[in-house]
Amino acid sequence: MQNTQQPRTDLQGKVAIVTGASSGIGEAIAEELVKRNAYVALTARREDRLQELEQRLRGIGNAEILTVPGDVSKPEDVQQLVNQTVQRWGKLDIVVANAGFGYRAHIVDGDIQRWKNLLNTNVYGLLLTLKYGVQKLLENGSGHVIVTSSIAGRQVTAGGAVYSGSKFAVNAIAEALRQEVGQQGVRVTTVEPGAVVTEFAEVAGYSSEVIEAIKQMEPLQASDIARVIIQALEQPAHVDIAELTVYPTKQTGQGVFANTDKRQQ
Ligand SMILES: NC(=O)c1ccc[n+]([C@@H]2O[C@H](COP(=O)([O-])OP(=O)(O)OC[C@H]3O[C@@H](n4cnc5c(N)ncnc54)[C@H](OP(=O)(O)O)[C@@H]3O)[C@@H](O)[C@H]2O)c1
């Protein structure tokens, strides 16, 4: 019988941008890409953290890294990231749209400035990353987009209106993109992690009760998510793992919030 097996995608020499690379999941993905000899452009707002990461990654073989600090909710910053990446390496193959943060409050108690910042980063910032990044993938006629969503993009709990709303939007945007660019050889993978140990809980301002409940469930590490993403990236070019939901084994839905949600009085 004829062997119709297609080769795995080799990440060596692929050019990637990673948003939200200054910590957590983005940092872990950047590291895994560098270990596979991909060329990686890092972005986030904290320049010092990106430079520390760049230094660390330079210790891995012949790492090729570019650091472009910026805010994904600013079109000029995203354009700068994409343009500098293409100037440096002549192309773009992988866009990891990962920057984002959480927030929990009942709607009636919501901090309206935080709502705006969250939607500007998680939704508008994602759209900007996709708009300017995917243009370059289409010019290549191939590429792969990784979008970090959340299980909060599949399930809603009281207190999660704005974050869940943003991640439901992320899932819709990623699926629309998949339908728009698949015919042109560009793959789109949406990753929906459950609880992962990163700076996320601190940035979101979770209560100590929620943080303790997360610890009890043996949460995922950022490296777990990075490993799963690499598996999606390494599939043969005709295989698009469109959606990856990754739970800690002991996590049941978003139960940790259902059990601990209390309105701040
Ligand atoms: N940890 C979890 O349990 C979990 C679960 C499901 C989904 N997620 C999703 O995973 C993604 C990564 O989060 P994480 O867990 O790795 O949290 P994290 O450690 O707090 O990392 C978030 C990253 O996003 C960057 N960022 C935030 N706002 C930004 C902006 N406006 N422009 C550019 N970069 C920005 C942060 O860098 P700067 O502050 O330096 O800009 C940081 O690098 C997020 O989309 C999050 O919603 C996390």
Side-chain angles (χ1 to χ4, degrees), residues 19 71-75 78 81 95-100 116-133 170 173:
T19 74
D71 184 331
V72 293
S73 67
K74 295 186 177 156
V78 179
L81 166 71
V95 173
V96 181
N98 166 77
K116 260 194 176 173
N117 292 345
L118 188 147
L119 294 170
N120 266 337
T121 298
N122 294 11
V123 181
Y124 181 57
L126 169 69
L127 284 165
L128 293 173
T129 306
L130 299 179
K131 176 176 170 61
Y132 297 115
V170 166
I173 290 163

Side-chain angles (χ1 to χ4, degrees), residues 8 26 36 48 82-83 98 102 110 113 124 132 190 206 249 253 262:
R8 278 184 345 152
R36 285 162 181 78
D48 54 335
V82 171
N83 290 340
N98 166 77
Q113 190 54 51
Y124 181 57
Y132 297 115
T190 306
Y206 285 175
T249 304
K262 286 194 195 76

Side-chain angles (χ1 to χ4, degrees), residues 23 26 35 91 151 171 175 200 208 220 232 264-265:
S23 109
K35 282 180 178 162
K91 61 169 183 165
I151 58 163
N171 282 10
E175 173 57 14
F200 181 88
S208 51
L220 301 166
Q264 307 289 325
Q265 296 293 341

Side-chain angles (χ1 to χ4, degrees), residues 20-26 44-46 70-72 98-101 121 148-150 163 167 193-196 198-200 203:
S22 63
S23 109
I25 295 170
R45 293 162 302 176
R46 287 171 295 175
D71 184 331
V72 293
N98 166 77
F101 68 90
T121 298
T148 311
S149 182
S150 167
Y163 181 62
K167 292 300 188 182
V196 188
T198 64
E199 294 170 19
F200 181 88
V203 175

Side-chain angles (χ1 to χ4, degrees), residues 139-160:
E139 285 170 18
N140 275 354
S142 68
H144 202 144
V145 181
I146 303 290
V147 176
T148 311
S149 182
S150 167
I151 58 163
R154 301 171 63 92
Q155 304 159 21
V156 182
T157 55

